[in-house]
Amino acid sequence: MNATLLAVALSLVSAGAYAAAAVAQSRLAGRTDPSTGVLRLLGRGAWWSAVGLNAAGALLHVAALNFGPLTLVQPLGALTLVVAVPLGARAAGRRVGRTEWRGTALTLLGLGALLLTAGGSAPHETLSLPEALGVGAATMAVVAGLGRPGARPGLRHAAASGITSGVASALTQTLTVAVTDHSGGPLFSWRLLTVALLVSAFAMGGLLLSQTAYRGGLGAPLAVVTLANPVAAAAIGLALLGERLQGGPVSLVFALLGTAAAVRGVVLLSRAQARNTDPAAPPEAAVPGDQVPSRVVIGSPRRADTAPPAGVPEPLPAHASG
């Protein structure tokens, strides 16, 4: 199996693990009494199953970054939403809706077009220390701008979350390529230590920003997070890591068409997930991202007065950024 196929395969399994983790977290939240303490929750097998699935998804994503370019691996993170559709519907005891089928078809069509144009070679270039520091400084400046007080904070925090997660993936690729490189260079260096610290900071920042982004609703913020992640990672890959699209000008047309289809599909899937987490929402009504509160990605049967236990973080949508 060549590097490209291996990267795609690992990304597919990673998306499946993230989607299964989201379903497990949703079902656990729906069955948990609000008075349940943290220690009691940690004693449940379902909780550790979700943790294990998330960890497996992250490790598979890191492995995929070692075999495929960012322009190939990161867009495949949108498959988490696609896989979550049938899993979530089965867990909730319902059928997949027409909007979800349309979103799935458009997302798969768009990702297929992007796969045809993405560079197929395994990554071999890494960020230098000045480049890594420059990327970190630029990311923090963008996040600071998006985090300023103003209108529609949910969408701005969602964009910041997607960007920081995408940058964390790009930096993770530098780590994996450098560590697995057999050129005889030092395994531990100031560059790799700095990159590792930046990865930790941006990965945690992405989670915290997504937590605040979803407070006012799920649909639109979830779409923004899902789309901003691969855009940020691909920008670093194309600008600093020598990644290129295959096929010349024709491939650019396919890439733009594929991106448009994938964007539309992700938006439809995000709206459908938002409706499924709010039983009071009309079946075909679009849910504005700043009006309907939502706690999880996948809808599951729960009592109207049930909430996640006190002191336990609310389940977050899984990201393919690792």
Side-chain angles (χ1 to χ4, degrees):
M1 182 180 293
N2 63 34
T4 300
L5 291 178
L6 186 55
V8 172
L10 289 170
S11 297
L12 291 175
V13 182
S14 174
Y18 277 130
V23 173
Q25 287 177 299
S26 172
R27 291 178 61 83
L28 180 62
R31 298 195 305 264
T32 302
D33 188 87
S35 61
T36 302
V38 177
L39 293 179
R40 186 174 180 182
L41 183 67
L42 294 178
R44 294 187 177 181
W47 171 262
W48 289 109
S49 295
V51 171
L53 287 168
N54 271 317
L59 291 175
L60 289 165
H61 179 72
V62 171
L65 289 171
N66 189 49
F67 294 103
L70 290 164
T71 50
L72 172 69
V73 174
Q74 287 304 114
L76 292 176
L79 288 174
T80 298
L81 279 175
V82 173
V83 178
V85 168
L87 292 180
R90 181 179 179 85
R94 62 175 182 82
R95 293 186 177 183
V96 178
R98 287 184 299 175
T99 300
E100 291 170 313
W101 282 123
R102 287 173 55 205
T104 298
L106 285 171
T107 303
L108 292 177
L109 182 63
L111 291 177
L114 290 174
L115 288 178
L116 294 176
T117 62
S121 60
H124 54 85
E125 295 190 26
T126 59
L127 297 174
S128 64
L129 180 57
E131 288 174 336
L133 291 174
V135 167
T139 303
M140 287 186 283
V142 171
V143 170
L146 291 171
R148 70 187 188 283
R152 304 185 72 81
L155 294 183
R156 288 188 285 106
H157 288 169
S161 173
I163 291 171
T164 52
S165 297
V167 170
S169 286
L171 294 171
T172 298
Q173 187 182 72
T174 284
L175 276 180
T176 57
V177 172
V179 169
T180 58
D181 185 16
H182 301 290
S183 60
L187 183 59
F188 298 100
S189 65
W190 283 111
R191 178 178 70 118
L192 294 185
L193 178 60
T194 301
V195 171
L197 292 174
L198 289 173
V199 168
S200 300
F202 288 139
M204 181 60 66
L207 286 175
L208 294 175
L209 286 165
S210 64
Q211 181 80 40
T212 60
Y214 299 137
R215 285 177 180 173
L218 187 65
L222 178 57
V224 172
V225 169
T226 305
L227 296 171
N229 184 314
V231 169
I236 295 174
L238 293 171
L240 299 176
L241 297 175
E243 297 185 8
R244 296 290 182 269
L245 297 178
Q246 299 184 106
V250 176
S251 68
L252 181 60
V253 176
F254 273 100
L256 292 175
L257 292 175
T259 300
V263 167
R264 179 59 179 165
V266 167
V267 169
L268 289 175
L269 289 173
S270 300
R271 288 177 177 175
Q273 295 299 331
R275 285 200 301 274
N276 292 334
T277 58
D278 180 23
E284 294 297 331
V287 179
D290 56 353
Q291 293 182 5
V292 180
S294 175
R295 296 183 182 274
V296 294
V297 179
I298 310 301
S300 62
R302 66 164 65 185
R303 300 193 312 271
D305 58 347
T306 299
V312 178
E314 298 174 0
L316 295 175
H319 298 290
S321 58

